[in-house]
Amino acid sequence: MGHDGGVSGAKDLAFGSIAGSCAKVFEHPFDLCKVRLQSQPPDKALRYTGPWDCFKQTWTKEGVRGLYRGLSAPIVGAAAENACLFLVYNQCQRLITFAKGSDPSTPPQDKGLDELALAAAGAGAVASFILTPIELVKVKMQVTLLRAENLALLVNGSNPTSKPPRPDFSSLPGPIAILRQTIAKNGLRGLWLGHYGTLLRETGGSSAWFTTFEVVSRLFMRRREKAQGLERGSIGRSDLKAWELCVAGGCSGMAYNIVLFPADTIKSAIQTNAELRPDLAASHRASFLGTAKEIFAARGIKGLYAGCGITVARAAPSSAIIFLLYENLVRNFA
């Protein structure tokens, strides 16, 4: 991926893991709000009117610890996802180059965008199989407190004028407990609940992510060459400045999320049915298309894009961090 020469598979794994983990710490509160907005059952009144309302309610009721609820699973997920993405993306590029009989030493900026888009889609498809179980645990942790609140309201009734007590986080299940519960109830197959949504999002999103980064990076390279009167190809990615890498990474993050955001919304709704709609989850297994139709019928296109604004807003700096860290690790340690 983003380098002029080759990087070993082991270093791809290491660099991708470090970059993804660091970015996840920054973005997790935004992701939590996104998941809670996406998971609002279409057959019930809206709990949150928008991202800011979700953030305020979470902060008021749960504090800073609530905003980082479920962080452990995403940290593992981000490390695994980015390690897998960068590794498989580079290997897919090599495979395509081999199939075409091209020079294997050709740097990414000299390859066709169609090749890079195809390699990125392959990387996203592979990553989705690793990511689905990790995201399943994450989103369940992010909405378990909402389920506890719902049960309390049913049992005790509600007093809108009273300030809600701080939650007892020690009583909520952790990632290992949720993992065990899921396997005990649905077997290993249950860990891939909502996988179709993850597959769609990762395949199309990863293609947009890497390709957009490449396009913007090339614009900066050509701009520098023109300004300095250099021949085409004289400036490589290793010559780009930190702010240029951040801009390219920020654009790629926004492209990733805009492309197939409804698939992520549907996935989150399916994965949290057991917590937020236990009556429905007990009667039948939610399908991807069925859930999409239900959300659209209840809330229209706006429902399918619930949380999109806050996701795109956090994706820009998050992806900027990932690409900046990855490229600098490549420059200094590859």
Side-chain angles (χ1 to χ4, degrees):
M1 137 69 234
H3 41 79
D4 301 327
V7 176
S8 70
K11 288 182 177 179
D12 263 332
L13 289 172
F15 298 164
S17 295
I18 294 169
S21 299
C22 292
K24 184 55 67 176
V25 174
F26 161 78
E27 72 173 46
H28 187 73
F30 301 95
D31 183 70
L32 179 135
C33 289
K34 178 208 74 169
V35 169
R36 290 187 170 185
L37 287 166
Q38 289 178 327
S39 304
Q40 298 181 95
D43 59 343
K44 294 180 173 62
L46 288 173
R47 178 187 292 264
Y48 309 111
T49 58
W52 180 240
D53 181 52
C54 182
F55 182 88
K56 285 196 299 182
Q57 287 195 44
T58 302
W59 175 266
T60 301
K61 296 177 181 178
E62 305 167 44
V64 67
R65 188 173 178 182
L67 289 171
Y68 279 92
R69 172 73 180 156
L71 177 61
S72 55
I75 285 286
V76 174
E81 177 191 16
N82 285 279
C84 179
L85 277 174
F86 283 101
L87 173 64
V88 179
Y89 179 54
N90 283 323
Q91 296 304 318
C92 284
Q93 284 187 58
R94 294 186 180 103
L95 182 62
I96 293 171
T97 299
F98 175 79
K100 292 181 64 177
S102 304
D103 183 358
S105 63
T106 303
Q109 63 262 24
D110 293 332
K111 294 178 180 177
L113 290 177
D114 56 339
E115 294 179 42
L116 299 180
L118 180 60
V126 173
S128 72
F129 286 90
I130 299 172
L131 203 54
T132 299
I134 296 170
E135 287 205 356
L136 178 74
V137 173
K138 179 201 74 172
V139 299
K140 285 182 178 294
M141 288 188 70
Q142 289 175 329
V143 301
T144 46
L145 191 64
L146 305 185
R147 182 189 183 190
E149 285 183 5
N150 289 342
L151 291 174
L153 289 174
L154 288 173
V155 174
N156 303 318
S158 62
N159 182 0
T161 62
S162 63
K163 185 178 180 179
R166 288 281 172 164
D168 178 12
F169 287 100
S170 62
S171 66
L172 299 176
I176 301 301
I178 290 177
L179 201 63
R180 287 174 177 169
Q181 290 169 9
T182 302
I183 295 174
K185 186 174 182 180
N186 302 310
L188 285 174
R189 183 184 176 188
L191 295 177
W192 277 268
L193 177 68
H195 176 67
Y196 189 55
T198 312
L199 177 63
L200 281 176
R201 185 197 69 196
E202 288 298 308
T203 302
S206 295
S207 186
W209 197 55
F210 282 112
T211 306
T212 301
F213 179 78
E214 192 64 42
V215 168
V216 179
S217 295
R218 290 182 185 186
L219 288 175
F220 283 125
M221 293 178 208
R222 302 294 86 83
R223 175 175 170 269
R224 185 89 61 81
E225 289 166 353
K226 185 177 181 180
Q228 297 178 16
L230 300 174
E231 293 182 5
R232 186 179 179 87
S234 301
I235 300 292
R237 184 162 307 117
S238 59
D239 300 310
L240 292 180
K241 297 177 182 178
W243 73 266
E244 292 171 324
L245 291 172
C246 285
V247 170
C251 291
S252 68
M254 291 187 287
Y256 168 91
N257 284 284
I258 291 171
V259 168
L260 284 168
F261 190 83
D264 187 60
T265 299
I266 298 162
K267 174 200 71 77
S268 294
I270 291 173
Q271 290 182 330
T272 56
N273 267 340
E275 285 70 32
L276 302 181
R277 306 174 73 186
D279 51 338
L280 178 69
S283 60
H284 75 285
R285 185 183 179 91
S287 69
F288 184 85
L289 287 178
T291 302
K293 290 177 181 178
E294 187 180 15
I295 294 173
F296 183 77
R299 293 179 184 146
I301 195 70
K302 185 178 180 180
L304 292 170
Y305 278 90
C308 184
I310 193 172
T311 303
V312 171
R314 61 90 172 162
S318 176
S319 288
I321 290 171
I322 289 174
F323 280 107
L324 178 64
L325 286 176
Y326 181 85
E327 293 295 336
N328 277 283
L329 286 168
V330 168
R331 291 177 187 180
N332 291 297
F333 300 103

